[in-house]
Amino acid sequence: MTTIKELKKDLQPYEKFVTLGPEVLTDAELLAIIIRSGTSDKTSIDLANEIIDGSKEGSILSINHMSLQELMNIKGIGKVKAIEIKAVGELSRRISKSSVPITKDLSSPELIASRYMEDLRHLEIEHLIMVMLNTKYKFIGDCTLSKGTVNFSVASPREAYIEALKNGAVYICLIHNHPSGDPTPSREDIKITKRMADAGKLIGITLIDHIIIGDNIFFSMKQKQLF
């Protein structure tokens, strides 16, 4: 019987997956299964490590941050392989988001953060999103209020509440990302939140929270009583 070590290196991740289970594979080995084959001088694991190590994150997050062209610039990664790798990243994002159905009561910061974590944690500039809820805290819709530079996002209460009124929202929640990975709110974040909360009180729409997404971590301003 051929042992794992005796297998061609491109096939080793497949055998480990079958015999030991996917949870024992490294990120590079899982990615190598998607890549399937290497080149004359590199195995699929070598290519997977090149993708992971060559990114600024130095982690599997690279598949969400690298463009098709950046992947194709790696010798051994053609257009088809690049598309397959990006498709896996997109699937993981959608699976994560689908774990929190829109039919759930979204009054808790944990649920809202879970729903938007994979959408926002990989972005390189700030995106400020407004989540709109009905009287039972059920999801009505969401919209992007602003896209800023890496460290600044501007929100207009007027535009936000026009959209909320148009959709019949009773409650809203603000949520935005910090590309640095640190969800600690800035003074500007707190200022915007207070301005939005005050504006909502005048028209009868309650701002229930402002959640900041970091790298797989979040900060709830409501929990910390910052407004």
Side-chain angles (χ1 to χ4, degrees):
M1 178 180 173
T2 305
T3 66
I4 290 176
K5 285 185 178 179
E6 292 170 332
L7 283 170
K8 184 181 175 184
K9 285 197 173 180
D10 277 342
L11 299 178
Q12 286 178 13
Y14 292 84
E15 187 65 18
K16 282 179 70 175
F17 189 104
V18 172
T19 59
L20 302 175
E23 62 277 0
V24 306
L25 272 67
T26 65
D27 290 346
E29 287 172 331
L30 287 169
L31 186 53
I33 289 175
I34 306 301
I35 295 171
R36 293 193 304 278
S37 60
T39 63
S40 57
D41 58 343
K42 293 178 185 175
T43 67
S44 57
I45 297 178
D46 291 333
L47 289 174
N49 277 317
E50 191 170 341
I51 292 169
I52 293 170
D53 296 340
S55 69
K56 67 180 183 182
E57 298 85 10
S59 73
I60 196 64
L61 288 176
S62 58
I63 68 174
N64 285 308
H65 289 184
M66 294 175 78
S67 66
L68 278 178
Q69 190 55 55
E70 285 173 324
L71 286 167
M72 289 164 60
N73 287 341
I74 297 172
K75 185 183 176 184
I77 304 294
K79 187 174 183 180
V80 172
K81 284 183 181 178
I83 289 171
E84 288 171 344
I85 291 167
K86 292 297 290 181
V88 168
E90 178 62 16
L91 275 173
S92 70
R93 184 190 70 80
R94 295 188 188 189
I95 289 168
S96 176
K97 190 168 186 177
S98 297
S99 66
V100 184
I102 59 174
T103 52
K104 278 196 172 185
D105 174 329
L106 293 180
S107 57
S108 88
E110 289 81 11
L111 282 176
I112 294 178
S114 295
R115 180 167 175 79
Y116 289 89
M117 180 65 72
E118 289 305 310
D119 280 349
L120 295 175
R121 65 186 284 236
H122 306 296
L123 300 178
E124 295 181 3
I125 62 171
E126 286 192 11
H127 285 58
L128 178 62
I129 292 171
M130 178 176 68
V131 183
M132 295 170 281
L133 308 171
N134 66 15
T135 53
K136 295 183 178 179
Y137 296 96
K138 298 292 178 65
F139 181 84
I140 293 175
D142 58 26
C143 64
T144 300
L145 297 178
S146 68
K147 297 178 184 180
T149 61
V150 229
N151 56 13
F152 186 69
S153 219
V154 178
S156 162
R158 181 176 179 276
E159 291 173 11
Y161 283 110
I162 285 174
E163 190 67 24
L165 287 166
K166 194 194 308 179
N167 285 275
V170 175
Y171 303 105
I172 63 167
C173 177
L174 297 178
I175 182 165
H176 84 277
N177 61 303
H178 277 182
S180 67
D182 179 1
T184 306
S186 65
R187 272 189 287 184
E188 188 66 26
D189 293 334
I190 296 170
K191 182 180 172 183
I192 286 171
T193 306
K194 288 178 177 176
R195 204 170 78 200
M196 291 287 283
D198 290 343
K201 288 173 186 174
L202 294 174
I203 57 175
I205 295 178
T206 303
L207 175 65
I208 62 168
D209 208 341
H210 186 171
I211 296 167
I212 303 174
I213 298 293
D215 187 8
N216 214 23
I217 188 172
F218 74 91
F219 184 102
S220 163
M221 290 202 197
K222 189 67 175 178
Q223 285 181 339
K224 298 298 182 181
Q225 300 181 330
L226 292 181
F227 71 98

